[in-house]
Amino acid sequence: MIDTVSTDIPEGAERRLRLDVEDGVGVLTLCRPAKLNAWSWESTRQLGLYADRIRFDDSIRVVLLRAEGRAFCAGIDITAPGGAITGRSAAERTGNFYEGIRWAHERFRAFAGLPQPVVAAVQGYCLGFGFELALMADVRIAADDAVFALPEARLGVAVDAGGDLRVARDAGAGWAKYLALTGRRIDAATAARLHLTQLVVPRTDLEPTAREVAAEIAANAPLAVRGVKRDIDAYADAGLGRALDRVAMTAAVTLTSEDVGEGYAAKAGGREAEFEGK
């Protein structure tokens, strides 16, 4: 049985995600392949809507997070830094960014905290927010062509969705700092060695392997599966909420800095950024 589920996507808005329910598996697909599934405020809003839809659907026992095209998610859409957040002063704009990022964190928390386990299937570029989104999943399966990075500091901004915190949780603080402070990329084999992915498979095997793992979880007792996820998260994520509030403020400050304008301009112009720390 396959049931394509609609959600409240406003008229004129581009659909960023799609949900299909297939035999107990909620297949949540990033469906903007022409843009390498670049993320935006609207993507965050749609993710929150789907999280609310999935949470109370007893027919969905596990979520398979996947993406169309050659990339899982290449990060934030750099053509629209800052979105529509403004303010009458620098202080007000920073405060508005802080609230906006807290709003985004609430949507991410709803997704990461789903009672159903989430299995992510990752191919190609998994950069910036793409990496952070994958880290919100409970199990990550990577194609051998997957590339991971947290390049935000190279653009003048902080890692704003808690990806560095989740790397610290799974791989250790040293690796979190190494990846977030340098912005360097790592391949799928390195990600597996750091326990950031659980399986690495050939690109052609990614979809069937991820679906097989999701089906195995879906076949198990729902109460036990949900309880195990909650118990492990309670242990692994202790202190995450307080740390994410610090992340929101750091991100708000950097997103309203002069450095971020230089970072995005340099990226768009294919040159090295010259940051002044202001």
Side-chain angles (χ1 to χ4, degrees):
M1 185 270 293
I2 298 179
D3 174 28
T4 300
V5 183
S6 63
T7 191
D8 181 24
I9 306 301
E11 184 177 353
E14 181 182 2
R15 184 176 294 278
R16 309 301 171 91
L17 298 101
R18 184 181 68 251
L19 176 64
D20 303 290
V21 182
E22 307 174 4
D23 298 322
V25 179
V27 182
L28 187 60
T29 301
L30 279 64
C31 55
R32 203 185 181 206
K35 296 289 188 178
L36 301 181
N37 297 307
W39 202 260
S40 66
W41 294 104
E42 177 58 25
S43 303
T44 298
R45 194 190 73 82
Q46 292 184 23
L47 180 69
L49 287 173
Y50 280 122
D52 288 343
R53 162 70 173 83
I54 292 166
R55 179 178 182 178
F56 296 104
D57 190 337
D58 290 337
S59 72
I60 299 177
R61 294 191 171 191
V62 64
V63 176
L64 173 59
L65 176 65
R66 60 181 296 277
E68 293 178 347
R70 61 189 179 92
F72 178 75
C73 174
I76 296 295
D77 187 349
I78 65 170
T79 63
I85 294 182
T86 60
R88 295 169 298 175
S89 67
E92 184 177 71
R93 187 163 181 253
T94 298
N96 289 342
F97 256 113
Y98 174 62
E99 290 304 323
I101 294 164
R102 290 182 66 237
W103 168 86
H105 284 179
E106 291 167 3
R107 273 75 195 160
F108 301 149
R109 188 180 303 114
F111 176 69
L114 283 171
Q116 301 94 330
V118 178
V119 177
V122 179
Q123 79 274 10
Y125 292 129
C126 186
L127 310 177
F129 182 78
F131 193 8
E132 297 191 82
L133 179 63
L135 288 164
M136 294 178 203
D138 301 290
V139 176
R140 292 171 289 279
I141 301 171
D144 53 11
D145 68 346
V147 179
F148 303 87
L150 294 172
E152 285 87 344
R154 294 186 176 191
L155 294 173
V157 297
V159 181
D160 59 5
D164 47 354
L165 307 182
R166 292 182 168 92
V167 172
R169 177 195 64 192
D170 293 345
W175 276 106
K177 293 174 183 177
Y178 176 79
L179 293 175
L181 296 178
T182 67
R184 287 191 177 189
R185 298 180 179 185
I186 57 173
D187 60 19
T190 302
R193 180 168 59 85
L194 298 178
H195 310 296
L196 299 175
T197 63
Q198 282 64 62
L199 293 174
V200 177
V201 298
R203 177 69 179 86
T204 54
D205 293 342
L206 178 63
E207 187 84 7
T209 300
R211 287 179 178 272
E212 180 182 7
V213 171
E216 286 183 30
I217 295 172
N220 290 332
L223 294 178
V225 166
R226 294 183 179 202
V228 167
K229 172 174 175 171
R230 284 195 300 267
D231 293 347
I232 294 173
D233 284 348
Y235 168 76
D237 294 339
L240 184 63
R242 179 179 295 182
L244 281 172
D245 189 68
R246 295 183 62 89
V247 165
M249 180 51 70
T250 301
V253 170
T254 57
L255 283 165
T256 55
S257 68
E258 293 183 19
D259 279 349
V260 72
E262 166 63 12
Y264 278 106
K267 179 70 173 179
R271 61 176 175 80
E272 291 293 324
E274 297 182 6
F275 297 119
E276 297 185 23
K278 61 180 182 178

